[in-house]
Amino acid sequence: MSKYLNVYLSKCLIVSLLVCLSACEKDIDLDYHQIDPIYVVEASISNSGTEIRISRTNNMDDNNGISDVTGTKVTISDDEGNKWNIPYSRNGFHRMPSLMGEPGTTYNIDVEIEGNHYTSTSTMQRQPKMNSFRFVWMKVASERIMFGDLKIQDIPNEDNWYYMHIYRNGIGYRWALLRDDRNPNKELQQLFSFFHDGRSDDSDVLKEGDRLRILIRAIDQRAYDYLYSLQLMDNTGTNPIPNFTGGCLGYFSAYNQITEYVTYHEADVEEE
């Protein structure tokens, strides 16, 4: 999610400047260099291991956007009293591949940076299941649109929240969130709008042989609420709800994930 956090950080600065500029009609001298850096923590414990990236925002005149942070300490504990110190790897990452989450277990994370502590909590979910994925042309109003039609089987007898991310040839392409409040315990559908017929944005249109990697994560409500608020930023102009205490950006998620692969062939696209 680093890409989306970078977008978020840029928008936060823009929104702040717009507020300042609209508050008064006279010219205002803005000292960009006085903006304090903000720490960003992207942390997860999943069925494939534990990984935490810690970075820091830069000043507006620094095109790098964020920079990695060293000299940090990361501790994860669970509701059974177990505790792990997650070792530093490199480039701002702490990793422990052997620490895999257990469904139903609640995990707590404590990130210590220069004596300050940033904490969050998340509960590991059970493994999701993909029923099917297809490419399909659908008529929407007066337009013909190609969709990726993803169907997953809801995990029965519990509340569930899902995060789905499609990568095209290794690069993030589409992502979405889904909850099971409309069709619990049954099949859930997510339509990804890929492109409109007749529009030729070469950077976005699928090409013959493109390889799609589909990630489906069962996440908890805290992670869902954070990502949902991040998704709404363009429409609301507000910041995502905090997921960490202590004032840092980012989120912590204990999730169960599956990965599926699909190759795009124009001849396989269905018509509906």
Side-chain angles (χ1 to χ4, degrees):
M1 292 295 295
S2 299
K3 169 185 175 182
Y4 303 104
L5 285 172
N6 289 342
V7 172
Y8 158 61
L9 296 173
S10 298
K11 289 182 177 179
C12 284
L13 292 174
I14 292 171
V15 169
S16 298
L17 293 178
L18 288 175
V19 170
C20 291
L21 290 171
S22 62
C24 185
E25 293 183 359
K26 69 178 182 180
D27 292 337
I28 300 175
D29 293 328
L30 297 175
D31 186 357
Y32 303 134
H33 300 280
Q34 299 304 313
I35 298 175
D36 292 332
I38 302 172
Y39 291 111
V40 182
V41 180
E42 301 165 82
S44 66
I45 177 169
S46 70
N47 53 322
S48 59
T50 297
E51 181 176 276
I52 300 95
R53 186 193 180 196
I54 304 171
S55 56
R56 181 174 56 189
T57 60
N58 291 327
N59 290 323
M60 289 189 66
D61 61 349
D62 189 334
N63 294 327
N64 291 326
I66 61 174
S67 58
D68 299 326
V69 177
T70 60
T72 54
K73 180 180 178 181
V74 177
T75 304
I76 288 181
S77 59
D78 65 15
D79 52 8
E80 296 181 353
N82 300 304
K83 190 174 182 179
W84 300 268
N85 292 319
I86 312 303
Y88 182 79
S89 176
R90 62 176 185 172
N91 300 330
F93 283 93
H94 291 250
R95 292 188 174 100
M96 183 178 283
S98 61
L99 179 56
M100 292 178 279
E102 292 290 335
T105 300
T106 297
Y107 295 92
N108 306 289
I109 185 171
D110 182 283
V111 178
E112 183 179 351
I113 308 174
E114 297 180 346
N116 297 312
H117 291 263
Y118 306 93
T119 63
S120 186
T121 183
S122 186
T123 301
M124 178 76 166
Q125 307 299 296
R126 289 195 281 161
Q127 190 174 71
K129 176 185 177 183
M130 187 178 92
N131 285 347
S132 64
F133 180 86
R134 64 174 181 152
F135 301 100
V136 57
W137 285 107
M138 293 184 181
K139 194 71 176 294
V140 180
S142 61
E143 292 196 89
R144 189 165 170 260
I145 303 174
M146 179 183 287
F147 288 93
D149 182 6
L150 173 63
K151 292 180 180 177
I152 63 178
Q153 186 64 45
D154 187 36
I155 301 171
N157 304 318
E158 61 184 52
D159 294 330
N160 295 289
W161 302 266
Y162 302 95
Y163 164 75
M164 298 143 289
H165 199 158
I166 297 178
Y167 292 82
R168 181 181 66 168
N169 302 325
I171 299 173
Y173 187 52
R174 298 287 189 272
W175 69 282
L177 297 164
L178 190 64
R179 56 182 303 174
D180 66 349
D181 55 335
R182 294 186 178 181
N183 201 25
N185 302 330
K186 299 179 182 178
E187 188 172 69
L188 306 176
Q189 181 185 40
Q190 176 65 46
L191 292 174
F192 293 90
S193 175
F194 283 162
F195 54 87
H196 294 239
D197 192 16
R199 299 188 188 179
S200 57
D201 181 358
D202 292 338
S203 66
D204 207 43
V205 175
L206 289 174
K207 296 179 174 59
E208 184 68 22
D210 276 353
R211 184 73 162 163
L212 300 187
R213 176 164 56 100
I214 305 169
L215 302 184
I216 304 172
R217 294 177 181 172
I219 61 179
D220 70 350
Q221 186 173 5
R222 279 176 53 84
Y224 175 90
D225 289 345
Y226 174 83
L227 294 171
Y228 185 73
S229 65
L230 184 69
Q231 193 178 54
L232 292 178
M233 279 179 52
D234 284 339
N235 297 324
T236 64
T238 59
N239 296 338
I241 61 174
N243 184 266
F244 272 87
T245 64
C248 73
L249 303 177
Y251 72 104
F252 173 50
S253 179
Y255 62 81
N256 221 316
Q257 175 177 288
I258 60 172
T259 305
E260 303 286 346
Y261 294 89
V262 177
T263 301
Y264 172 71
H265 296 294
E266 187 176 355
D268 296 336
V269 182
E270 301 178 24
E271 194 80 38
E272 190 169 289

